[in-house]
């Protein structure tokens, strides 16, 4: 409602731009909206500054780590592959920036909450410009200028949402990113997103559990494969299965955000203990495929490379399998371009994916003969 109201105010302001200021005061938002806009403007400004600072401060370290990883992956790359190596390095460095989003989200959430709390001052007939100038010494005109900019930003957000809906309808690539955000939000109970459709997990998890239970009780081993948010859905499902069913289940996850995003954003629900419980439920018949170039998915227990000892002891160290991406930095004999950088894209056609499927299927067969 606030976004819609602000869009009305800005359109009216634009249409009356030639009128004297005194005649346009009646189109000014109420004080409570002004305080909300001021808080929103400060939150966005602080987040942008924090993002720029984090980007600059961490850029050298991310590039250095990415370059070391690329050098280990392609030690014998020819000189003509230098441009491709730089591209892979930049991709890995950008993917690592995802892990820096936690402080940015915290900064924005705190400032947004503070800005919404200051809206109460509007009920006391206190003007933002006068209050800030009196207590902080910032000129009222500067505060009013910030409110004006924030007002247009709010209206612009609404327009972006409308245009985003149009592009999501017409463009498959853009619709994919909108779907990721939508799945993330509507996965949680309705209390977390009261204005969105009902939580789909409340229906999907029980239905999936019933299907798995039916197959397992029929004497069939069940291999669950989930990409990206699908791995989160499978983890929630495994935690709901009875022990006699989970004994016949194996789990294959790839591009999984369980550790990189969910343990950071929702630590009360997804944490190390919960992930280990998932592994225990399936008897550690669990393989997680991940790539350095993936900006969303990552390793879950250990970031070790093939042939290296895992960073954690026990069966948890056998879960993660790092996939080199891309396969190579030079074109194969049958092509004129090098293999693509897959990043977060699924890899069902990858032979390493098929190898993981065969391994888990064999482990399920051995379990059935016990």
């Amino acid at each position: 409602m606030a976004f819609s109201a602000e869009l009305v105010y800005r359109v009216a302001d634009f249409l009356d731009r030639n009128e004297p200021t005194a005649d346009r005061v009646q189109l000014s938002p109420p004080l409570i909206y002004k305080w909300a806009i001021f808080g929103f403007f400060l939150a966005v400004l602080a987040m942008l500054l924090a993002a720029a600072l984090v980007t600059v401060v961490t850029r050298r370290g991310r590039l250095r780590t990415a370059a070391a990883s690329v050098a280990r992956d392609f030690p014998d790359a020819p000189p003509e592959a230098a441009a491709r190596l730089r591209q892979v390095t930049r991709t890995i460095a950008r993917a690592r920036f995802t892990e820096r989003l936690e402080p940015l989200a915290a900064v924005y959430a705190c400032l947004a909450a503070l800005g919404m709390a200051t809206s109460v001052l509007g009920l006391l007939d206190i003007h933002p410009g006068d209050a800030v100038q009196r207590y902080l010494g910032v000129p009222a005109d500067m505060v009013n200028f910030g409110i004006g900019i924030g007002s247009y930003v709010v209206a612009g957000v609404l327009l972006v949402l409308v245009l985003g809906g149009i592009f999501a309808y017409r463009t498959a690539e853009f619709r994919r990113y909108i779907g990721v955000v939508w799945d993330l939000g509507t996965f949680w109970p309705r209390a977390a997103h009261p204005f969105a459709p009902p939580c789909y997990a409340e229906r999907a998890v029980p239905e999936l559990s019933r299907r798995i239970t039916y197959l397992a009780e029929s004497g069939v081993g069940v291999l669950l494969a989930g990409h990206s948010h699908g791995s989160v859905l499978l983890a929630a499902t495994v935690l709901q299965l009875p022990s006699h069913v989970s004994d016949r289940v194996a789990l294959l996850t790839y591009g999984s955000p369980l550790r990189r995003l969910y343990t950071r954003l929702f630590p009360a629900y997804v944490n190390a203990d919960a992930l280990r419980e998932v592994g225990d439920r399936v008897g550690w018949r669990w393989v997680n495929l991940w790539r350095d170039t993936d900006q969303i998915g990552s390793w879950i227990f250990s970031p070790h490379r093939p042939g290296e000892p895992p960073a954690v002891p026990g069966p948890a160290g056998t879960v993660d399998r790092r996939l080199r991406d891309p396969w190579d930095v030079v074109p194969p004999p049958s092509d004129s371009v090098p293999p693509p950088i897959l990043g977060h894209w699924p890899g069902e056609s990858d032979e390493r994916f098929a190898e993981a499927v065969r391994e888990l299927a064999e482990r399920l067969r051995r379990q059935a003969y016990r």
Side-chain angles (χ1 to χ4, degrees), residues 6-348:
E6 191 54 37
L7 182 60
V8 172
Y9 283 125
R10 290 310 100 207
V11 171
D13 187 33
F14 177 77
L15 294 177
D16 292 346
R17 62 188 183 279
N18 294 324
E19 293 294 325
T21 303
D23 295 335
R24 294 164 56 189
V25 173
Q26 58 184 342
L27 294 176
S28 179
L31 278 179
I32 189 172
Y33 273 2
K34 286 187 176 182
W35 276 107
I37 293 169
F38 185 56
F40 171 77
F41 172 72
L42 290 180
V44 171
L45 182 62
M47 188 187 66
L48 292 177
L49 291 177
L53 179 63
V54 171
T55 301
V56 172
V57 170
T58 65
R59 184 175 184 274
R60 180 174 298 178
R62 289 185 287 113
L63 285 173
R64 183 169 56 250
T65 303
S69 178
V70 171
R72 295 179 63 183
D73 282 342
F74 308 102
D76 301 321
E80 57 269 22
R84 185 60 169 176
L85 291 173
R86 287 194 297 269
Q87 185 181 9
V88 177
T89 300
R90 289 193 298 267
T91 302
I92 296 176
R94 284 195 298 267
R96 288 181 173 270
F97 185 76
T98 304
E99 300 179 357
R100 312 290 181 175
L101 295 179
E102 185 178 6
L104 300 182
V107 168
Y108 179 77
C110 293
L111 290 178
L114 180 62
M116 294 302 296
T118 58
S119 300
V120 180
L121 299 176
L123 301 176
L124 304 177
D125 200 28
I126 299 176
H127 291 258
D130 297 338
V132 173
Q133 182 173 358
R134 181 183 306 168
Y135 296 107
L136 299 179
V138 179
D141 289 341
M142 183 177 296
V143 175
N144 293 332
F145 175 77
I147 293 175
I149 296 297
S151 178
Y152 281 105
V153 171
V154 172
V157 168
L158 183 61
L159 292 177
V160 168
L161 291 175
V162 174
L163 292 176
I166 295 175
F167 278 106
Y169 177 77
R170 295 187 174 185
T171 308
E173 177 69 16
F174 190 78
R175 184 164 58 248
R176 176 171 172 264
Y177 291 106
I178 296 296
V180 170
V181 177
W182 188 268
D183 286 346
L184 177 62
T186 55
F187 173 77
W188 298 100
R190 191 68 179 273
H193 50 87
F195 301 110
C199 169
Y200 69 87
E202 294 178 351
R203 184 188 67 180
V205 170
E207 290 181 353
L208 188 56
S209 299
R210 284 194 295 270
R211 178 61 177 170
I212 296 171
T213 300
Y214 170 78
L215 293 174
E217 291 180 345
S218 300
V220 178
V222 182
L223 173 57
L224 303 176
H227 173 255
S228 192
H229 187 73
S231 65
V232 181
L233 190 63
L234 291 183
T237 302
V238 167
L239 293 175
Q240 306 300 317
L241 297 175
S243 58
H244 73 280
V245 173
S246 59
D247 287 341
R248 291 182 172 272
V249 171
L251 184 60
L252 173 60
T253 56
Y254 48 113
S256 174
L258 277 169
R259 184 205 64 88
R260 170 171 272 177
L261 296 182
Y262 278 78
T263 58
R264 295 171 180 268
L265 298 178
F266 313 105
Y269 303 96
V270 184
N271 49 49
D273 292 337
L275 294 176
R276 286 184 177 274
E277 184 177 356
V278 173
D280 288 332
R281 292 288 186 94
V282 298
W284 293 102
R285 291 178 298 277
W286 183 4
V287 172
N288 177 63
L289 305 177
W290 65 282
R291 307 183 182 105
D292 273 334
T293 54
D294 192 341
Q295 70 276 20
I296 296 176
S298 72
W299 53 273
I300 295 178
F301 296 103
S302 173
H304 65 282
R305 292 167 168 266
E308 295 180 348
V312 294
T318 65
V319 170
D320 295 294
R321 310 283 176 86
R322 179 183 180 273
L323 304 182
R324 188 176 72 174
D325 185 40
W327 258 108
D328 206 344
V329 290
V330 295
S334 60
D335 206 342
S336 59
V337 295
I341 301 174
L342 297 177
H344 189 62
W345 281 98
E348 290 87 350

